[in-house]
C-alpha cells in the first residue's frame, strides 16, 4: 500500500480510535523512551484517580496523561487540559508528568507548561515528537498496530506503476527478455503484469504497458500534470469553495490514460498529465533514472510568492512574487509562503529525480520544520533548469527574521530570509 510520506503525522492528528487505543499507544511510546513499570489505570473507562497511568524513570514516579482529540485544538484548550492533568498529578504525589498528545505544541508553549507544573518534572510528547518516535524503524510494529499502516512491497511487477504524487508521471514498464532488452524508464517491480497501473494521485498520468520479448522496451510512464501552489489569507477567501480532484490516468496494455484536472474553486487549476505511450519491440537509446543525488545541483533563483503555477511546458508563473516580509496583527501567528525557484542540473541524465529539503529556521536559530520535495530534470536538452514550487508553513511566536533554507543532503543550496513583523497599524 502506498502512503504519504507524512502519513503518521496525519493519522495521529485526525485521531478516530478513541481513548483506550490512545492510552495504550502512549504506554508503548513511554516504554520506548525509557519509562518502566508502566501501570495503566483504566484505559477502558472507570475511576482512574486523576491519571491515565503511573510509571518510573530514573527512580522517580511519573504520571501519564493522554490527550488525543480529533483535529487541531486551540492552544488555550490544550493548556486548560494540561493544567488540569498537572493538578491531578500533583495531588497524586508523583515527581513528574508525561503529557502525551496528538496536538502541535510550540517551544514557547511547552516552556509555559513546565512553569505551570513546577516543581514537578515535565515531559511533553507532542505531535511532531510522536511522529518522529513512531517513524523510527524499531517502532513500526507499534505504528502498524495503532495507526493501521505499514510500508510493505512484496510483489514483482513488470507493468509500470501509475503516478503516486500530485501531478507525478506514471512509471514506465519493466521488461522480460535477453541482455538486449531494456525496461521503460521509471518502471518498478511487481507481479508479472503487462498492463500499466492507474495513477493514484490527483492529475497523475497512467503507467505505460510493460513488454516481453527479445529487444523489447517497456512503455513510457504518463506525463506529469501541472503543479500549482497557492497561499491565501483566510479573510480573502469566499465563504464556500468547491474543490474538484482530477482522476488519476488509467493504466492499460497500450497507452496510459490522461490524468484529470484538479481545481480549487475558481482560484487554482492544475491540468492533469498526458498518458504514456505503449511499449515497442525494439531497443533504443536512453539512460535509466538516477535517484539519491546529493551533489551537482544549484539553485538558480529562489523567491517567496503567494501563488505559483508550473505549466506543462515547464514555465513558471508567480502571483505577488518576491515579497520580503509578512505582517502579523499578533503573535503567535501562522506564517507561510510558496517558495518558487529554478534548479540547474549539471551532468545529469534526463528524467533524473532528486529530493531536496526545505528547512525553516526561527529568528532564534531553532529548526521548526523539515520537509522534503522532489524536482525532475525532465527530458534531454542542452540547458536543464527546471522550476519548482513548494509551500512552507511555520508558527512565528515573535517578530524577527526567519530563514528558509533549501538543502540537498547536507549541502545548503540557497537561503531566503523572510521578516515577520507587526503590522504598521498595530
Amino acid at each position: 500500500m502506498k502512503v504519504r510520506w507524512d502519513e503518521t503525522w496525519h493519522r495521529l492528528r485526525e485521531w478516530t480510535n478513541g481513548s483506550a487505543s490512545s492510552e495504550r499507544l502512549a504506554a508503548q511510546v513511554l516504554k520506548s523512551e525509557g519509562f518502566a513499570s508502566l501501570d495503566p489505570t483504566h484505559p477502558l473507562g472507570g475511576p482512574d484517580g486523576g491519571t491515565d497511568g503511573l510509571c518510573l524513570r530514573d527512580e522517580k514516579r511519573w504520571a501519564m496523561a493522554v490527550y488525543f482529540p480529533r483535529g487541531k485544538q486551540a492552544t488555550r484548550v490544550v493548556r486548560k487540559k494540561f493544567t488540569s492533568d498537572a493538578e491531578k498529578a500533583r495531588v497524586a504525589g508523583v515527581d513528574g508528568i508525561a503529557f502525551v498528545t496528538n496536538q502541535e505544541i510550540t517551544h514557547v508553549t511547552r516552556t509555559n507548561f513546565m512553569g505551570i507544573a513546577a516543581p514537578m518534572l515535565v515531559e511533553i510528547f507532542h505531535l511532531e515528537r510522536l511522529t518522529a518516535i513512531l517513524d523510527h524503524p524499531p517502532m513500526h510494529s507499534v505504528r502498524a498496530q495503532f495507526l493501521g499502516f505499514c510500508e510493505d512491497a512484496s510483489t514483482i511487477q513488470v507493468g509500470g506503476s501509475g503516478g503516486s504524487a500530485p501531478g507525478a508521471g506514471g512509471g514506465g514498464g519493466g521488461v522480460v527478455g535477453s541482455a538486449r532488452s531494456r525496461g521503460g524508464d521509471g518502471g518498478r517491480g511487481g507481479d508479472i503484469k503487462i498492463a500499466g497501473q492507474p495513477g493514484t494521485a490527483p492529475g497523475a498520468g497512467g503507467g505505460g504497458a510493460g513488454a516481453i520479448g527479445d529487444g523489447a522496451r517497456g512503455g513510457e510512464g504518463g506525463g506529469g500534470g501541472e503543479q500549482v501552489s497557492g497561499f491565501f489569507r483566510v479573510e480573502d477567501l469566499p465563504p464556500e469553495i468547491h474543490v474538484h480532484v482530477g482522476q488519476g490516468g488509467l493504466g492499460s496494455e497500450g497507452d496510459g490514460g490522461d490524468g484529470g484536472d484538479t481545481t480549487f474553486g475558481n482560484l487554482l487549476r492544475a491540468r492533469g498529465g498526458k498518458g504514456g505511450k505503449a511499449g515497442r519491440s525494439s531497443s533504443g537509446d536512453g539512460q535509466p533514472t538516477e535517484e539519491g543525488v546529493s551533489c551537482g545541483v544549484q539553485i538558480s533563483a529562489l523567491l517567496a510568492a503567494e501563488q505559483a503555477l508550473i505549466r506543462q511546458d515547464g514555465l513558471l508563473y508567480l502571483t505577488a512574487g518576491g515579497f520580503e516580509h509578512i505582517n502579523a496583527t499578533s503573535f503567535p501567528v501562522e506564517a507561510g509562503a510558496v517558495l518558487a525557484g529554478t534548479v540547474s542540473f549539471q551532468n545529469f541524465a534526463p528524467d533524473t529525480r532528486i529530493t531536496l529539503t526545505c528547512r525553516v529556521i526561527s529568528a532564534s536559530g531553532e529548526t521548526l520544520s523539515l520537509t522534503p520535495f522532489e524536482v525532475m530534470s525532465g527530458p534531454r536538452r542542452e540547458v536543464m533548469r527546471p522550476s519548482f514550487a513548494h509551500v512552507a508553513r511555520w508558527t512565528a511566536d515573535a517578530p524577527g527574521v526567519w530563514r528558509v533554507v533549501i538543502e540537498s543532503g547536507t549541502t545548503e543550496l540557497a537561503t531566503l530570509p523572510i521578516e515577520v513583523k507587526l503590522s504598521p497599524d498595530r
Side-chain angles (χ1 to χ4, degrees):
M1 179 181 66
K2 294 180 180 178
V3 296
R4 295 170 288 193
W5 66 270
D6 55 352
E7 188 71 22
T8 302
W9 189 95
H10 285 282
R11 296 208 183 190
L12 286 171
R13 175 73 167 270
E14 299 302 324
W15 185 260
T16 59
N17 294 335
S19 61
S21 292
S22 66
E23 291 181 24
R24 287 170 176 168
L25 172 60
Q28 293 298 320
V29 168
L30 293 188
K31 289 176 66 176
S32 74
E33 293 297 294
F35 289 85
S37 301
L38 201 132
D39 184 15
T41 312
H42 280 287
L44 297 179
D48 58 12
T51 66
D52 294 319
L54 298 173
C55 51
L56 297 175
R57 190 172 74 171
D58 299 330
E59 299 182 355
K60 295 184 181 296
R61 296 177 66 243
W62 290 72
M64 178 180 74
V66 183
Y67 179 50
F68 270 57
R70 181 178 181 182
K72 181 178 180 179
Q73 305 297 309
T75 301
R76 58 179 176 78
V77 175
V78 182
R79 183 184 294 110
K80 181 178 180 181
K81 173 62 172 154
F82 176 82
T83 302
S84 173
D85 287 341
E87 183 58 35
K88 293 174 182 176
R90 187 178 286 111
V91 172
V94 297
D95 301 302
I97 178 173
F99 187 64
V100 186
T101 181
N102 66 340
Q103 297 296 298
E104 296 177 276
I105 304 179
T106 66
H107 178 74
V108 171
T109 304
R110 297 198 297 270
T111 302
N112 175 258
F113 282 9
M114 292 179 183
I116 292 174
M120 287 190 299
L121 301 170
V122 177
E123 282 280 7
I124 299 176
F125 294 87
H126 51 90
L127 178 58
E128 290 293 345
R129 187 174 180 185
L130 282 181
T131 300
I133 292 172
L134 293 174
D135 280 345
H136 191 47
M139 293 292 286
H140 281 187
S141 61
V142 174
R143 187 180 68 180
Q145 178 182 353
F146 292 98
L147 301 188
F149 79 95
C150 60
E151 293 91 1
D152 181 15
S154 59
T155 61
I156 300 174
Q157 175 180 307
V158 173
S161 293
S164 58
V175 68
V176 177
S178 69
R180 296 195 305 114
S181 301
R182 176 183 180 276
D185 291 345
R188 60 172 296 174
D191 294 330
I192 298 180
K193 299 176 182 178
I194 300 302
Q197 300 302 298
T200 58
I212 297 178
D214 186 28
R217 178 175 178 178
E220 299 174 358
E226 290 180 338
Q227 177 182 350
V228 181
S229 301
F231 184 80
F232 304 95
R233 295 183 303 176
V234 174
E235 56 267 28
D236 295 336
L237 295 175
E240 182 175 325
I241 297 175
H242 178 69
V243 177
H244 173 73
V245 180
Q247 180 180 1
L250 298 178
S252 71
E253 296 187 6
D255 294 346
D258 295 345
D261 292 355
T262 294
T263 58
F264 183 71
N266 295 323
L267 302 173
L268 297 175
R269 173 180 291 271
R271 300 189 182 279
K274 296 295 183 181
K277 300 300 182 182
R280 53 190 174 87
S281 297
S282 61
S283 61
D285 296 330
Q287 301 180 34
T289 299
E290 298 177 17
E291 296 183 333
V293 181
S294 61
C295 60
V297 179
Q298 293 181 345
I299 300 292
S300 307
L302 183 62
L303 292 171
E306 287 187 359
Q307 296 182 46
L309 166 65
I310 301 177
R311 295 194 335 188
Q312 287 179 301
D313 59 8
L315 295 182
L316 174 64
Y317 287 77
L318 301 180
T319 301
F323 64 80
E324 300 171 343
H325 67 271
I326 298 172
N327 288 325
T329 57
S330 62
F331 290 93
V333 63
E334 296 297 321
V338 178
L339 303 176
T342 56
V343 180
S344 294
F345 284 75
Q346 300 176 2
N347 302 320
F348 279 83
D351 297 322
T352 295
R353 182 191 305 273
I354 65 168
T355 299
L356 302 180
T357 303
C358 174
R359 182 189 299 270
V360 178
I361 302 176
S362 70
S364 61
E366 178 185 4
T367 295
L368 296 184
S369 66
L370 197 65
T371 55
F373 63 97
E374 292 185 340
V375 180
M376 288 283 292
S377 64
R380 184 185 301 277
R381 57 200 188 278
E382 291 299 321
V383 178
M384 290 197 293
R385 191 168 56 238
S387 301
F388 68 87
H390 176 71
V391 178
R393 295 187 178 90
W394 68 92
T395 301
D397 52 17
V401 177
W402 304 70
R403 291 191 301 128
V404 181
V405 181
I406 306 299
E407 302 171 339
S408 174
T410 59
T411 302
E412 183 176 311
L413 300 179
T415 299
L416 183 67
I418 300 177
E419 182 183 8
V420 182
K421 62 182 182 179
L422 282 172
S423 300
D425 56 353
R426 297 298 293 173

